[in-house]
């Protein structure tokens, strides 16, 4: 049965309380299905880009989430996707997005959006399990952007959390190399969750280096450790990071293009996050990387965790985030 716009609001209210009846959300975890009329799409692009304001340079700019616009009359076709955004700006009766908004919102909600300041409405699991719904509605672009400044970071975190949850099931729930995980813990006193298909490329206790990877597309995770504290400030972090591939990743070097160093929490450690591009000195290879440098007081060790991929002429952001998720399972023996 294909639902029409006229009965969508009834479905919205009825299904919202029936969790056990809902299917699992479908679609790409990094796809944003944006339901909007043609006349509002340019401004909604500005609003959504401000919320999801993260770009990976590969070296081409690649957004964290891909926006896919859908006509309001086709809303029922995508209502079960993981990330659904419904947007309308203004109160023109001829605007299909406005008509849809009046169908899915109560009169009080609609009035609070176009006449008040309730311009961003977020909900989970409306039609499916593991689903985000965001409603963007207001009289003009300026007022909605004021709400984005305040609520945007929180909204972005909700979408990131769902992506990590869904991708973690894909990476870790089906199969893991637990024998290798236990072996690493017994040898080195730390561990990561290793998805099935990753193989050991290099394992050296002498230099404190453990390197695993997966082919087609190429994904690599390198964990390096040294005794003591090896950095003191952002300048020493930069020097350490640029020296790392020369010492341990033969033929690979970091480039200065879009190179970034920022303080960031890595699990429970205060860390430095390093982002940028890597390239091979002899071969036509390169791509984005993310690395973390931090010090663990209990073991008196500095750890450098390096994630990189090689996937020419293809989208890379989600792949790099997958490797980054593996990196974030890092833990040290209690």
């Amino acid at each position: 049965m294909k639902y029409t716009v006229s009965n969508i609001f009834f479905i919205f209210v009825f299904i919202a309380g029936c969790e056990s009846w809902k299917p699992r959300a479908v679609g790409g975890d990094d796809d944003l299905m944006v339901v909007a009329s043609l006349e509002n799409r340019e401004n909604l692009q500005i609003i959504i880009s401000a919320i999801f304001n993260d770009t990976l340079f590969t070296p081409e700019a690649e957004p964290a989430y891909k926006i896919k616009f859908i006509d309001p009359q086709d809303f029922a076709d995508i209502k079960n996707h993981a990330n659904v955004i419904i947007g309308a700006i203004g109160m023109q009766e001829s605007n299909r997005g406005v008509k849809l908004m009046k169908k899915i919102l109560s009169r009080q909600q609609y009035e609070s959006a176009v006449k008040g300041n309730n311009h961003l409405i977020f909900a989970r699991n409306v039609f499916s399990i593991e689903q985000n719904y965001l409603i963007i509605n207001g009289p003009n672009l300026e007022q909605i952007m004021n709400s984005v400044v305040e609520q945007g970071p929180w909204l972005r975190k909700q979408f990131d959390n769902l992506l990590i949850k869904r991708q973690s099931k894909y990476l870790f729930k089906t199969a893991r190399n637990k024998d290798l995980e236990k072996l690493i813990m017994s040898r080195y006193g730390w561990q990561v969750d290793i998805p099935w298909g990753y193989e050991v490329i290099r394992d050296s206790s002498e230099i404190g280096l453990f390197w695993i990877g997966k082919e087609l597309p190429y994904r690599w995770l390198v964990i390096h450790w040294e005794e003591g504290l090896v950095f003191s400030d952002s300048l020493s972090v930069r020097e350490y990071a640029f020296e790392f591939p020369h010492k341990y990743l033969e033929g690979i070097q970091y480039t200065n293009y879009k190179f970034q160093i920022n303080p960031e929490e890595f699990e429970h450690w205060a860390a430095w996050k390093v982002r940028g591009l890597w390239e091979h000195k002899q071969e036509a290879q390169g791509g984005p990387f993310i690395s973390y440098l931090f010090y663990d007081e209990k073991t008196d060790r500095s750890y450098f965790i390096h994630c990189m991929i090689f996937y020419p002429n293809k989208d890379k952001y989600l792949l790099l985030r997958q490797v980054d998720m593996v990196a974030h399972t890092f833990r040290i023996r209690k």
Side-chain angles (χ1 to χ4, degrees):
M1 178 178 180
K2 184 174 181 178
Y3 299 104
T4 62
V5 172
S6 62
N7 57 18
I8 282 174
F9 179 64
F10 168 76
I11 300 168
F12 185 96
V13 173
F14 178 72
I15 296 184
C18 307
E19 197 76 21
S20 61
W21 293 10
K22 300 175 186 177
R24 187 171 183 266
V26 299
D29 296 338
D30 59 345
D31 287 338
L32 301 177
M33 311 304 290
V34 182
V35 182
S37 62
L38 287 173
E39 57 264 41
N40 285 161
R41 292 183 184 183
E42 183 177 348
N43 283 338
L44 284 169
Q45 178 89 41
I46 296 172
I47 295 167
I48 295 169
S49 297
I51 297 172
F52 302 91
N53 58 350
D54 191 15
T55 301
L56 179 72
F57 292 91
T58 66
E60 295 82 11
E62 186 178 322
Y65 290 87
K66 303 174 182 66
I67 298 174
K68 298 183 177 181
F69 282 108
I70 307 297
D71 192 273
Q73 66 184 13
D74 298 321
F75 168 65
D77 296 333
I78 56 90
K79 66 185 180 66
N80 291 108
H81 276 247
N83 300 311
V84 179
I85 298 176
I86 307 171
I89 302 174
M91 293 175 282
Q92 293 290 335
E93 292 293 335
S94 59
N95 186 320
R96 291 181 178 179
V98 172
K99 292 180 180 179
L100 176 60
M101 201 65 69
K102 290 182 176 181
K103 294 287 185 181
I104 63 176
L105 294 180
S106 67
R107 177 177 295 181
Q108 182 179 1
Q109 287 175 321
Y110 181 75
E111 291 290 326
S112 69
V114 296
K115 296 181 181 179
N117 57 4
N118 191 25
H119 305 310
L120 302 171
I121 302 173
F122 177 79
R124 297 184 181 93
N125 306 332
V126 175
F127 290 104
S128 301
I129 298 172
E130 297 182 357
Q131 181 184 57
N132 284 334
Y133 256 75
L134 174 61
I135 293 176
I136 302 174
N137 191 27
N140 54 60
L141 174 63
E142 182 180 3
Q143 290 190 33
I144 297 175
M145 287 299 292
N146 289 337
S147 296
V148 168
V149 171
E150 180 181 349
Q151 302 174 41
W154 183 86
L155 288 170
R156 169 64 190 271
K157 185 173 178 59
Q158 308 317 304
F159 282 82
D160 284 348
N161 287 345
L162 180 60
L163 183 145
I164 291 171
K165 178 180 180 181
R166 288 170 60 89
Q167 284 291 309
S168 292
K169 290 184 177 181
Y170 164 73
L171 288 172
F172 305 120
K173 299 300 182 183
T174 54
R176 276 169 44 196
N177 194 338
K178 294 187 178 182
D179 290 337
L180 181 57
E181 293 174 12
K182 293 177 181 178
L183 181 62
I184 297 169
M185 178 63 83
S186 64
R187 281 184 181 176
Y188 304 130
W190 56 262
Q191 184 176 327
V192 290
D193 294 346
I194 303 176
W196 196 257
Y198 277 76
E199 298 181 351
V200 178
I201 299 173
R202 189 177 182 185
D203 182 3
S204 174
S205 59
E206 295 180 357
I207 60 174
L209 188 82
F210 185 77
W211 183 353
I212 57 174
K214 188 174 182 179
E215 296 184 356
L216 302 176
Y218 290 91
R219 286 149 281 180
W220 295 294
L221 175 65
V222 185
I223 299 175
H224 171 61
W225 62 97
E226 294 186 36
E227 301 303 319
L229 180 63
V230 300
F231 60 93
S232 57
D233 53 21
S234 60
L235 180 60
S236 62
V237 172
R238 180 183 179 89
E239 292 174 352
Y240 186 95
F242 266 92
E243 185 182 0
F244 174 79
H246 291 288
K247 292 178 65 175
Y248 303 109
L249 310 179
E250 186 176 351
I252 290 175
Q253 63 184 9
Y254 293 163
T255 73
N256 286 307
Y257 181 70
K258 298 298 181 180
F259 187 84
Q260 300 177 26
I261 298 176
N262 300 105
E264 183 170 310
E265 184 174 333
F266 179 82
E267 297 305 295
H268 62 275
W269 291 281
W272 290 93
K273 183 176 182 179
V274 186
R275 298 178 63 178
L277 297 170
W278 66 272
E279 63 183 7
H280 199 282
K281 297 177 185 178
Q282 286 83 36
E283 302 176 18
Q285 294 182 359
F289 75 86
I290 298 175
S291 300
Y292 302 91
L293 179 62
F294 60 91
Y295 172 71
D296 179 67
E297 292 183 356
K298 294 182 179 180
T299 57
D300 189 27
R301 280 180 177 175
S302 294
Y303 290 90
F304 190 74
I305 300 181
H306 171 80
C307 314
M308 64 180 183
I309 63 170
F310 175 57
Y311 197 28
N313 304 317
K314 301 290 184 179
D315 290 343
K316 302 172 180 63
Y317 207 142
L318 186 58
L319 281 175
L320 185 60
R321 295 188 75 169
Q322 289 176 357
V323 184
D324 188 50
M325 289 167 60
V326 177
H328 274 78
T329 65
F330 179 88
R331 55 198 179 274
I332 294 173
R333 181 189 291 127
K334 295 182 181 180

